[in-house]
Amino acid sequence: MMTERSVETEPTKGAFAVEVKSLHKWFGAFHVLADINLNVRHGERVVICGPSGSGKSTLIRCVNALEDYQRGEIVVDGVVLTKNLKRVDEVRREVGMVFQQFNLFPHLTVLENCTLAPMHVRKMPKAEAEATARRLLARVKIPEQADKYPAQLSGGQQQRVAIARALCMNPRIMMFDEPTSALDPEMIKEVLDVMVELAEEGMTMLVVTHEMGFARQVADRVVFMDGGQIIEIDTPDAFFSNPQHERTKLFLSQIIR
Amino acid sequence: MSRTPLVAMSEDDARYVREAPAPALAPPITNVGVLGWMKANLFSSWPNVFLTAATIALLAWIVPPTVRFLLIDAVWSGTDRTACLAPEGGDAGACWAFVRERMSYFIYGSYPVGERWRVNLFFALVALGGGWMLWLDAPYRRLGAVFFFAAVPIASYVLLYGWPTIGLATVDTSLWGGVLVTVVVTTVGIVTSLPIGIVLALGRRSDMPIVRLMSVVFIEFVRGVPLITVLFMASVMLPLFVPPAWSPDKLLRALIGVMLFAAAYQAEVVRAGLEAIPRGQYEAGRALGLGYWRLHRLIVLPQALRITIPNIVNSFIALFKDTTLVFVAGIFDFLRTIEVSRADPKWATPVTSATGYAFAAIVYFVCCYLMARYADSVERRLARADRR
């Protein structure tokens, strides 16, 4: 169902949005990712969960080359990630990333945060970039904050700006690295609501999160990682109601109260 | 929850209802105005009382003789040393007549008198360009930048050194001197050291080992050698090894020495700022597809330079004062022209040296203080933007 939708929207370069093939990564001698195989279809929403230190953030950071890897292959939208910087930038333009700590640029206004990359990377004229930014800020429900600086916003608002900033590049894939983990409880919902809307519009999403409610609601598949390996991949229904692996069961029993 | 009070209260103490509002009274005289300020700031505690007394005593000791020397007993006009000799039974004051007579030498050095309009025009160009750059709300700042960083240097070179084809006679740099040299060395040092320093700082943090090694070696070598040595080598040792025809101009050699020296210091200042930028800023920039140069130009450097402004200006002030060391290369900067003049028999009096040095101190202090105040205002302006 999801794949059909993506076929309707845009012609795609690769068969999969993201292909990860027997990926291995070491931090020094520490084997942080071991034999990762994961294909994400266009328009698919994949939630990656697992205990801290399981390598889930490292995995998605490999997908836009914020981390390098030693063995295996990652193909993003038909582009093989190599050491070639041009290709890396090509991939990064198409992959939006939202960080746990927002990482907004504090010396720029909200609007400038959103227009910087489109203007300097996509060479979009300023007026067009600003129009796009204002439209997307409205979409994340903070159009009135455009001229403020990040420090003036609440955490939830900052994270929504970060989402808008990523969307301004018109990415084909959006990745979220624990987007709500640094937020106060009352702000988590406003960010998740934006993410749910984004999912409903058919965006390909790769989300590392502990929000199991979100996973249940929007994920097409849930990936469970532990110790640098993928332990289990399943649809949310099956994953939550009938986990197969012992470690998955243990994790779910601890996380769901 | 009834508790027995420790001290039995009478009926009247336990209950109270205000019947009329309390009148607003003037504060005690010791809390406001001059008295209040003095109480709070000068006599708030016994150590503070002691410090206040000590400070007053120190000022009483220093200020009156200084004022007497510089102003009251000072000689303001005269044509030679006789004017500045101490009157019968009195003390000699500062010999400002000497400074007045020598002023044009202090400003232009030995620059030919008939060509000094060129120097004045140069001062005007630098003031205009510099003012344009320093005034942050100035109109057409881009144009100002082109003017200051491209037009002014070329025009200055043509003006000061000369270009016979357009009728400007060549004036050898050995004739330059005084404020002219100080302004040239300082401006070139300030304008070039920051960009070179930024490049060196980025080089030191580069992923490329060769670039990193070269930056580290350069910075550590230059930092490890006194400026006076750098200038000495440039002026004395270089000609020993290089044929005279190849040897560049003496002033140019000193300029390059000062420039590289200041750049090495500036590199460390900038690096401190770069270290302070969180990793997330780099990652966010890279994740948006910004390449190395754009990432640094748009994200990292604006933040890094902003937090290092006090240190950058500190380096500029140090550089400004260090320009006095070019005298070891045989160049007559402002301080050197005073040094030379005070030895002139025509003005030889017991107070000539003191007057000359006092004049130099006042000029340097005013310039440095203005730089510091300007930096302060920029900082406050940025802090206002940060509070937001």
Side-chain angles (χ1 to χ4, degrees):
Chain A
M1 190 174 70
M2 294 307 145
T3 44
E4 283 164 13
R5 188 190 314 180
S6 76
V7 169
E8 284 167 14
T9 50
E10 285 183 72
T12 49
K13 283 189 254 177
F16 291 101
V18 178
E19 292 170 75
V20 181
K21 299 173 194 164
S22 37
L23 181 77
H24 291 263
K25 175 175 174 60
W26 288 265
F27 279 138
F30 178 55
H31 202 172
V32 61
L33 291 177
D35 190 33
I36 304 285
N37 288 284
L38 178 66
N39 291 338
V40 179
R41 292 187 300 276
H42 292 283
E44 191 179 26
R45 272 81 56 162
V46 174
V47 166
I48 304 174
C49 60
S52 54
S54 59
K56 50 197 194 303
S57 288
T58 310
L59 171 59
I60 69 164
R61 289 161 59 85
C62 282
V63 172
N64 68 351
L66 288 179
E67 302 278 354
D68 61 355
Y69 54 91
Q70 281 75 41
R71 272 214 309 214
E73 189 179 59
I74 297 179
V75 185
V76 180
D77 212 18
V79 178
V80 182
L81 269 188
T82 59
K83 292 260 175 204
N84 185 339
L85 288 176
K86 264 207 142 48
R87 306 237 84 180
V88 168
D89 283 342
E90 208 176 301
V91 165
R92 285 177 179 157
R93 282 201 292 271
E94 305 302 331
V95 180
M97 177 96 167
V98 174
F99 299 88
Q100 183 178 348
Q101 298 295 342
F102 329 138
N103 294 348
L104 294 179
F105 306 131
H107 61 303
L108 301 176
T109 64
V110 164
L111 190 67
E112 288 165 341
N113 263 278
C114 294
T115 56
L116 181 124
M119 281 168 61
H120 288 95
V121 178
R122 291 239 191 259
K123 306 290 174 204
M124 194 186 279
K126 188 175 181 195
E128 189 187 339
E130 286 188 350
T132 310
R134 288 191 188 278
R135 183 167 53 77
L136 289 166
L137 286 171
R139 191 161 136 195
V140 298
K141 301 178 189 67
I142 36 173
E144 72 286 357
Q145 312 286 4
D147 298 315
K148 290 197 181 160
Y149 284 88
Q152 293 170 296
L153 305 185
S154 72
Q157 290 173 324
Q158 291 193 45
Q159 193 60 297
R160 286 184 283 154
V161 172
I163 294 172
R165 176 176 73 177
L167 290 175
C168 279
M169 285 294 280
N170 195 20
R172 301 167 70 88
I173 303 160
M174 282 286 284
M175 298 202 298
F176 296 80
D177 187 2
E178 306 203 21
T180 56
S181 299
L183 295 176
D184 291 337
E186 72 268 27
M187 295 170 183
I188 290 177
K189 186 174 178 297
E190 63 189 49
V191 171
L192 288 180
D193 285 349
V194 167
M195 291 169 64
V196 169
E197 269 180 41
L198 201 57
E200 282 164 358
E201 287 162 23
M203 174 65 78
T204 309
M205 289 165 72
L206 205 50
V207 184
V208 171
T209 185
H210 295 295
E211 295 296 330
M212 290 302 124
F214 174 80
R216 247 187 244 273
Q217 191 181 348
V218 306
D220 296 312
R221 284 188 296 160
V222 179
V223 176
F224 175 67
M225 288 181 70
D226 192 15
Q229 300 165 48
I230 292 181
I231 304 295
E232 193 163 341
I233 304 179
D234 214 331
T235 59
D237 281 350
F239 181 83
F240 289 110
S241 59
N242 190 18
Q244 300 298 307
H245 199 286
E246 281 310 312
R247 276 194 270 179
T248 320
K249 289 177 191 166
L250 179 67
F251 175 73
L252 288 175
S253 73
Q254 283 166 340
I255 202 165
I256 296 172
R257 287 165 296 240
Chain B
M1 290 271 287
S2 67
R3 253 190 290 162
T4 322
L6 291 176
V7 179
M9 276 192 284
S10 71
E11 194 77 5
D12 290 348
D13 285 340
R15 301 177 64 244
Y16 171 78
V17 177
R18 178 175 288 285
E19 282 155 2
L25 299 177
I29 188 122
T30 50
N31 272 26
V32 289
V34 178
L35 275 180
W37 183 88
M38 283 171 63
K39 188 181 157 201
N41 294 291
L42 299 181
F43 305 107
S44 61
S45 62
W46 278 112
N48 201 351
V49 170
F50 172 75
L51 283 177
T52 303
T55 308
I56 289 171
L58 189 69
L59 290 176
W61 184 46
I62 292 175
V63 173
T66 310
V67 171
R68 207 178 313 126
F69 178 80
L70 291 179
L71 300 174
I72 298 171
D73 292 342
V75 178
W76 299 91
S77 57
T79 50
D80 63 9
R81 61 186 292 274
T82 51
C84 293
L85 292 172
E88 283 298 317
D91 287 328
C95 186
W96 296 122
F98 152 73
V99 172
R100 275 176 69 177
E101 202 218 43
R102 285 313 190 104
M103 187 60 97
S104 63
Y105 180 60
F106 295 161
I107 295 175
Y108 305 101
S110 308
Y111 209 89
V113 177
E115 306 288 339
R116 285 182 180 175
W117 62 271
R118 285 155 58 173
V119 179
N120 292 337
L121 189 54
F122 159 75
F123 286 149
L125 283 176
V126 170
L128 178 64
W132 205 343
M133 288 290 90
L134 295 176
W135 180 22
L136 298 178
D137 299 319
Y140 307 109
R141 292 195 80 230
R142 258 165 206 275
L143 183 66
V146 173
F147 174 73
F148 187 63
F149 293 109
V152 170
I154 296 170
S156 302
Y157 176 81
V158 170
L159 265 177
L160 294 175
Y161 190 70
W163 188 11
T165 35
I166 60 164
L168 290 174
T170 304
V171 179
D172 193 82
T173 55
S174 60
L175 297 175
W176 301 15
V179 173
L180 166 62
V181 162
T182 297
V183 168
V184 167
V185 178
T186 305
T187 318
V188 170
I190 285 178
V191 170
T192 56
S193 68
L194 189 56
I196 300 176
I198 290 172
V199 171
L200 284 169
L202 293 176
R204 190 164 189 166
R205 287 166 55 86
S206 168
D207 294 332
M208 289 176 274
I210 301 292
V211 173
R212 193 166 58 231
L213 182 73
M214 279 166 46
S215 306
V216 170
V217 167
F218 178 85
I219 292 169
E220 295 304 337
F221 177 75
V222 174
R223 279 207 306 175
V225 175
L227 175 59
I228 208 158
T229 316
V230 175
L231 293 170
F232 223 60
M233 284 172 66
S235 67
V236 180
M237 304 202 24
L238 199 64
L240 296 179
F241 305 116
V242 182
W246 292 5
S247 160
D249 183 84
K250 194 166 64 177
L251 180 63
L252 182 63
R253 274 180 281 160
L255 270 180
I256 292 173
V258 168
M259 185 173 99
L260 297 180
F261 191 81
Y265 274 87
Q266 214 59 274
E268 286 301 285
V269 170
V270 173
R271 188 170 69 94
L274 293 175
E275 302 283 352
I277 305 303
R279 214 171 56 136
Q281 293 288 306
Y282 291 88
E283 291 182 348
R286 283 158 62 199
L288 286 168
L290 294 170
Y292 179 86
W293 292 109
R294 277 200 215 114
L295 174 66
H296 280 88
R297 183 166 58 84
L298 300 168
I299 313 279
V300 177
L301 283 173
Q303 298 183 57
L305 295 181
R306 180 174 294 187
I307 53 182
T308 45
I309 283 177
N311 305 338
I312 290 174
V313 174
N314 192 35
S315 303
F316 284 163
I317 290 174
L319 166 68
F320 173 58
K321 292 182 295 180
D322 279 350
T323 60
T324 52
L325 291 174
V326 296
F327 82 88
V328 300
I331 295 164
F332 288 74
D333 76 310
F334 173 60
L335 185 62
R336 187 67 185 157
T337 54
I338 291 177
E339 277 276 300
V340 171
S341 302
R342 76 184 178 87
D344 181 355
K346 184 184 169 196
W347 286 99
T349 71
V351 293
T352 308
S353 294
T355 306
Y357 288 135
F359 180 59
I362 291 167
V363 170
Y364 279 105
F365 175 79
V366 168
C367 292
C368 292
Y369 187 70
L370 288 178
M371 283 200 235
R373 297 305 308 170
Y374 174 74
D376 216 44
S377 77
V378 172
E379 245 180 275
R380 261 182 286 123
R381 180 190 161 110
L382 293 176
R384 209 164 50 229
D386 274 337
R387 229 178 295 127
R388 309 184 261 247

